[in-house]
Amino acid sequence: MNILLLGSGGREHALAWKLAQSRLLADAGDTLYAAPGNPGIADHADCIPLDAADHDAVVGFCRASHIGLVVIGPEAPLVDGLADSLRAAGVPVFGPSREAAQLEGSKGFTKDLCERAGIPTARYVRCHSLEEAWGALKRFDAPFVLKADGLAAGKGVVIAETREEAQHALDDMFGGRFGSAGSEVVIEQFLTGEEASFFALTDGETIVPFGTAQDHKRVGEGDTGPNTGGMGAYSPAPVLDEKLQRAVMERIVEPTVRTLREEGMPYSGVLYAGLMLTADGPSLIEYNARFGDPECQVLMMRLESDLGELMLACAQGRLGEVAAPRFSDEAALTVVMAGKGYPGTPEKGGTIDLESAEAEGAKVFHAGTKRAEDGGLAANGGRVLNVTATGANVTVARAGAYAAVDAVIFESGFCRRDIGWREIERERG
Ligand code: AMP
Ligand code: GLY
């Protein structure tokens, strides 16, 4: 069949690489399309200019090109209801409806759902005005956790050490710093513990675990400095052992999917739970309605099952009929190379040469690259490359990834040198 993948980052490059190996694309003439794609994705897919915000154009393309499955990579088109438009046109789609994607699109929606379903999460108050928020602050102690309700590209959370700092941040949020995403703010209790990510696939009824990962959100070594979309990740996350994973499924993921189904907004696609492993057990920090970036890259390196078949089964409500996903026991680790200046204004246009890095046996996913006029590669974004390797454990995978990083030629780029440090300390014993 023909498949259309929407997106242009490292996550989508990893999905394209894995989808290209699917039996769904085995017949002559089967085509993987990507819109808009990137130079790395172009190795596996026909890249086409198609605007995911233009639902009629996407539906029209799917009809004209006999698309049998659409995979929506990023959150914005999901929150915008693209999956609904495609389903209404009879096109199978991997990704939740607009209503179900509120799990990512509205922090307040998710907190209320947790309350209704008895899911462990930090105590919270939803605030619709600055006055209300200043008042609600009195019910919390430092550090204060303030979250813009809507999508803010991973930048909508402020952790304020003092009440004054929290008040300033609230002024900013209600003053429009995050646009309409900040017209409502959630204030919540600060949780302590280690963070980890848990993934599940669901068709709304059947739910299957889909791996674990840990990422590094801060730009600087030792997890310091401003937040980013993620500077590196590894999978699995051994802190989420079997017992904890079962607890996450039973106490968090299953009640979420069940409640959404019972309330008439069934969730279909991948559910990404950001967790805090507290002394009282796993607590939900946030949900995402799509794969993590760069967590997806390390999951795809370990996935042994046919990604296309799993996604199609989710889209068609047949997840219970296919074999459960299988992952390699090996660890995978990815290092993000970003343009100097990221997460502020990154330098763009710097030349990149990957030839020797790929000879090291690593997989380099393109996150923000473009073809230069001379046919070479150039940087074209904040996060530019995801240099990814596997190994018997995180220590070995990390050695492979950094050997390849050292072979990448990208002078206007930088990366953290300590991805995986927590796990490597544990492996060292
Ligand atoms: P989020 O966008 O909700 O994932 O939040 C971004 C980051 O803020 C998380 O990865 C955590 O490091 C931190 N964070 C969010 N909520 C809390 C909380 N209630 N307690 C402590 N840290 C939090
Ligand atoms: N790496 C974090 C995210 O994708 O949300």
Side-chain angles (χ1 to χ4, degrees):
M1 70 167 56
N2 295 336
I3 300 178
L4 170 64
L5 168 66
L6 296 172
S8 63
R11 167 181 53 210
E12 287 77 22
H13 186 182
L15 293 174
W17 170 70
K18 202 67 200 169
L19 281 171
Q21 303 165 35
S22 171
R23 283 185 286 273
L24 299 183
L25 289 162
D27 288 343
D30 287 341
T31 305
L32 175 61
Y33 294 95
N38 69 32
I41 294 173
D43 286 342
H44 314 287
D46 284 3
C47 293
I48 51 165
L50 195 56
D51 178 5
D54 184 345
H55 296 194
D56 289 342
V58 177
V59 169
F61 175 82
C62 290
R63 289 209 169 116
S65 303
H66 308 287
I67 298 295
L69 173 67
V70 177
V71 176
I72 302 179
E75 61 276 17
L78 294 167
V79 171
D80 184 41
L82 180 60
D84 307 75
S85 301
L86 287 161
R87 279 193 193 103
V91 182
V93 50
F94 180 81
S97 67
R98 187 179 58 77
E99 278 192 312
Q102 288 180 88
L103 280 188
E104 174 158 7
S106 166
K107 308 236 181 234
F109 172 90
T110 299
K111 299 299 282 190
D112 285 354
L113 181 120
C114 287
E115 191 163 80
R116 292 200 295 285
I119 292 166
T121 190
R123 182 172 64 82
Y124 71 104
V125 178
R126 294 179 79 164
C127 305
H128 299 86
S129 71
L130 183 59
E131 296 68 42
E132 207 185 330
W134 274 50
L137 267 189
K138 299 197 184 86
R139 294 157 62 183
F140 294 87
D141 296 314
F144 301 92
V145 182
L146 316 170
K147 301 185 173 183
D149 182 72
L151 290 186
K155 299 182 179 111
V157 176
V158 175
I159 308 223
E161 297 300 331
T162 65
R163 208 167 283 278
E164 291 66 43
E165 214 183 294
Q167 288 169 338
H168 275 300
L170 288 170
D171 288 348
D172 269 1
M173 285 175 161
F174 284 103
R177 179 163 144 217
F178 301 111
S180 60
S183 62
E184 179 180 339
V185 170
V186 171
I187 303 181
E188 65 180 48
Q189 172 206 358
F190 183 81
L191 298 172
T192 44
E194 186 166 342
E195 282 182 58
S197 305
F198 178 90
F199 299 84
L201 296 183
T202 177
D203 58 7
E205 190 85 37
T206 301
I207 312 168
V208 295
F210 202 63
T212 60
Q214 278 183 302
D215 76 341
H216 294 267
K217 287 209 171 70
R218 305 295 199 92
V219 74
E221 278 157 26
D223 295 323
T224 55
N227 257 323
T228 71
M231 295 301 291
Y234 51 93
S235 173
V239 278
L240 271 178
D241 59 19
E242 292 275 324
K243 188 163 161 244
L244 275 175
Q245 287 190 53
R246 261 199 310 280
V248 172
M249 280 293 277
E250 284 167 17
R251 290 188 220 150
I252 299 178
V253 174
E254 286 168 5
T256 300
V257 172
R258 184 169 60 238
T259 304
L260 287 173
R261 183 177 64 237
E262 285 168 2
E263 296 183 356
M265 33 188 164
Y267 189 99
S268 161
V270 60
L271 188 55
Y272 159 0
L275 304 165
M276 188 71 88
L277 307 179
T278 74
D280 301 325
S283 180
L284 182 73
I285 298 178
E286 64 157 359
Y287 271 131
N288 293 307
R290 35 101 194 152
F291 283 108
D293 188 347
E295 292 90 330
C296 183
Q297 290 81 317
V298 284
L299 288 179
M300 290 306 118
M301 292 293 278
R302 297 184 48 238
L303 180 65
E304 291 172 340
S305 307
D306 185 315
L307 178 67
E309 289 188 344
L310 286 165
M311 288 179 153
L312 187 64
C314 284
Q316 297 179 328
R318 294 186 291 103
L319 192 56
E321 295 166 24
V322 300
R326 277 179 296 102
F327 286 90
S328 144
D329 289 334
E330 288 207 316
L333 181 140
T334 189
V335 176
V336 172
M337 299 187 78
K340 282 180 189 158
Y342 179 77
T345 309
E347 271 180 43
K348 286 192 187 171
T351 54
I352 298 168
D353 187 337
L354 299 177
E355 215 167 300
S356 337
E358 283 174 335
E360 290 285 333
K363 183 90 201 129
V364 182
F365 294 113
H366 294 223
T369 65
K370 67 174 181 201
R371 278 278 157 226
E373 272 171 24
D374 64 0
L377 272 182
N380 190 37
R383 294 187 293 171
V384 177
L385 301 169
N386 310 135
V387 183
T388 316
T390 55
N393 58 25
V394 174
T395 306
V396 179
R398 173 160 92 160
Y402 279 110
V405 163
D406 291 336
V408 168
I409 301 171
F410 175 23
E411 284 184 1
S412 63
F414 76 97
C415 67
R416 276 178 61 166
R417 300 294 313 189
D418 65 344
I419 299 304
W421 66 268
R422 228 183 256 282
E423 197 48 43
I424 285 163
E425 273 181 10
R426 270 193 286 259
E427 284 176 0
R428 222 177 259 144

